[in-house]
Amino acid sequence: MSFDPIAPWYRTLERIAFGQDLQRCRVACLSEIAAPRRALIVGEGDGRFLVELLRLHPEVEVDCIDASARMLHLARKRVKEQFGDGGGRVRFQHQDINSWNHTDCEYDLIVTHFVLDCFPASALGGIIKKLARAATDNATWLLADFSVPRESVPRLRARAWLAAMYLFFRITARIQARELIDTTPFMQSQGFALARQFLFRAGMLKSEIWRRTS
């Protein structure tokens, strides 16, 4: 999986399809969390969330991993434009989450925005378990993603959008998933509980805060 082929046009495509709603979804929970010490961001994309995190929490150190070299280039460029040498707080890693391995429990903030939906259920559980192993006992997890509303009309609309998007991204980015998988049971199995949720686009987009429970 790689978003390299569409990286230069991703933001434009996002605006055409969803306006500013995806970015609103990414940052909706930022003001709701305590200042993190060390953060792990998976699949950051072009760096728009990362810039807001650094602006709001200037002391945080960040490991940012992405399977797309072009997306990492855009994120690095954006951080440098905003913070100059202050961007040294971020370590960019060009790596697929499937091959990434980290066993130290050192991140008190995990961020997965619009990335877990790229994986089928057969891979999702292992990925969430791997990330949870890297989280501290009191870690916060920010998750923004698509969702299927309960109401009939928004539900039908969301399913149509999701079917089109999965087809598009399977062709252009070679994602593995064919349908949206609910991450809730996987998160709960790793000791995380949902603390806050914001919904956008009649429930098609969600922004969530998960906190590790004792």
Side-chain angles (χ1 to χ4, degrees), residues 33-40 60-61 105-110 134-141:
I33 64 172
R37 179 185 59 85
R38 191 165 187 190
L40 172 65
V60 67
E61 295 183 0
C105 301
E106 60 180 337
Y107 299 105
D108 56 349
L109 177 63
I110 307 289
T136 61
D137 291 339
N138 62 343
T140 297
W141 192 317

Side-chain angles (χ1 to χ4, degrees), residues 117-121 159 162 166 170 176-181:
D117 58 346
C118 296
F119 300 97
R159 288 196 178 280
L162 288 167
Y166 271 107
R170 281 183 62 81
Q176 303 170 29
R178 294 178 178 272
E179 61 180 352
L180 184 67
I181 304 298

Side-chain angles (χ1 to χ4, degrees), residues 145-152 154-160 162 166 179-182 199 201-206:
D145 221 325
F146 295 96
S147 181
V148 179
R150 293 182 179 181
E151 294 78 8
S152 58
R155 187 179 184 87
L156 289 173
R157 186 183 299 117
R159 288 196 178 280
L162 288 167
Y166 271 107
E179 61 180 352
L180 184 67
I181 304 298
D182 183 11
L199 297 176
R201 288 263 171 156
M204 185 180 170
L205 300 173
K206 64 180 182 180

Side-chain angles (χ1 to χ4, degrees), residues 6-39:
I6 59 173
W9 305 281
Y10 182 83
R11 188 174 184 181
T12 299
L13 293 171
E14 180 180 307
R15 282 178 171 174
I16 292 172
F18 295 101
Q20 297 294 329
D21 285 345
L22 263 65
Q23 181 62 8
R24 293 191 186 102
C25 198
R26 292 185 186 100
V27 302
C29 294
L30 261 181
S31 61
E32 304 287 325
I33 64 172
R37 179 185 59 85
R38 191 165 187 190

Side-chain angles (χ1 to χ4, degrees), residues 39-45 47 50 61-67 71-72 75-76 79 89-95 100 107:
L40 172 65
I41 304 179
V42 181
E44 162 60 11
L50 175 58
E61 295 183 0
V62 182
D63 285 348
C64 181
I65 67 174
D66 202 297
M71 284 293 198
L72 281 176
R76 186 182 289 109
V79 169
R89 290 177 288 151
V90 184
R91 295 191 302 178
F92 294 96
Q93 302 178 41
H94 179 210
Q95 196 165 2
W100 181 82
Y107 299 105

